[in-house]
């Protein structure tokens, strides 16, 4: 390999490396979403208002209110110390219900309401894959927990 071809190859590899690094780091920063508890959201400074974050907690029993003939609902999310109001518009996951854990993604607004566009519901420890249920498999609870770990 001649000296000119070697320099060309090194420069090309540097350009590709810099481009890949820029794309990876640039997209990483834009897609970075912070995770908070309801108590941390209440304590957020104004610089976080309107920024996309995730909040995890339990859906408060009796707080879920669905607006009829719309895809809108409101509920409270708690971490055991504080609770925040959440306004959601969309189709919630099947596992979403009161008294269960949920992670919501959205933003904290100036009216002190968390505006969410996505809910991720947690399933209970008694979860069993559909294939096992259909096969009639009954395993002790401790075996299910081991399979989830």
């Amino acid at each position: 390999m001649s000296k000119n071809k070697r320099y060309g190859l090194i420069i090309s590899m540097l350009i590709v490396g810099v481009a890949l690094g820029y794309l990876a780091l640039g997209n990483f920063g834009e897609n970075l979403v912070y995770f908070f508890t309801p108590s941390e959201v209440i304590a957020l400074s104004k610089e976080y208002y309107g920024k996309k974050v995730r909040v995890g907690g339990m859906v408060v029993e009796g707080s879920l209110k669905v607006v009829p003939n719309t895809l809108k609902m409101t509920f409270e999310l708690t971490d055991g110390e504080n609770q925040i109001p959440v306004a959601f518009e969309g189709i919630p996951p099947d596992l979403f219900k009161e008294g269960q854990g949920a992670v919501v993604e959205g933003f904290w607004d100036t009216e002190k309401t968390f505006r969410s566009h996505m809910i991720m519901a947690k399933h209970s420890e008694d979860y069993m894959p559909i294939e096992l249920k259909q096969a009639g498999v009954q395993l002790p609870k401790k075996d299910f927990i081991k399979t989830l770990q």
Side-chain angles (χ1 to χ4, degrees), residues 34-51:
Y34 292 103
F35 180 84
F36 295 104
T37 64
S39 295
E40 292 171 331
V41 169
I42 290 171
L44 285 176
S45 63
K46 289 184 178 183
E47 69 186 45
Y48 278 97
Y49 289 4
K51 288 189 176 180

Side-chain angles (χ1 to χ4, degrees), residues 29-36 40-41 44-55 84 104-110 113-117:
E30 291 175 8
N31 294 323
L32 190 63
V33 179
Y34 292 103
F35 180 84
F36 295 104
E40 292 171 331
V41 169
L44 285 176
S45 63
K46 289 184 178 183
E47 69 186 45
Y48 278 97
Y49 289 4
K51 288 189 176 180
K52 187 168 70 171
V53 296
R54 288 184 179 169
V55 182
I84 59 169
V104 294
E105 185 174 295
F107 63 92
W108 186 238
D109 68 9
T110 55
T113 300
F114 192 83
R115 307 281 175 191
S116 176
H117 59 276

Side-chain angles (χ1 to χ4, degrees), residues 18-94:
V18 169
L20 288 174
Y22 174 77
L23 289 173
L25 294 176
N27 285 336
F28 179 74
E30 291 175 8
N31 294 323
L32 190 63
V33 179
Y34 292 103
F35 180 84
F36 295 104
T37 64
S39 295
E40 292 171 331
V41 169
I42 290 171
L44 285 176
S45 63
K46 289 184 178 183
E47 69 186 45
Y48 278 97
Y49 289 4
K51 288 189 176 180
K52 187 168 70 171
V53 296
R54 288 184 179 169
V55 182
M58 300 293 287
V59 180
V60 176
E61 295 275 350
S63 68
L64 182 61
K65 295 178 178 55
V66 178
V67 179
N69 300 322
T70 68
L71 296 175
K72 296 178 181 179
M73 67 171 60
T74 61
F75 57 91
E76 302 268 330
L77 204 60
T78 184
D79 59 0
E81 294 179 22
N82 291 301
Q83 56 191 43
I84 59 169
V86 177
F88 173 75
E89 184 169 357
I91 299 172
D94 292 339

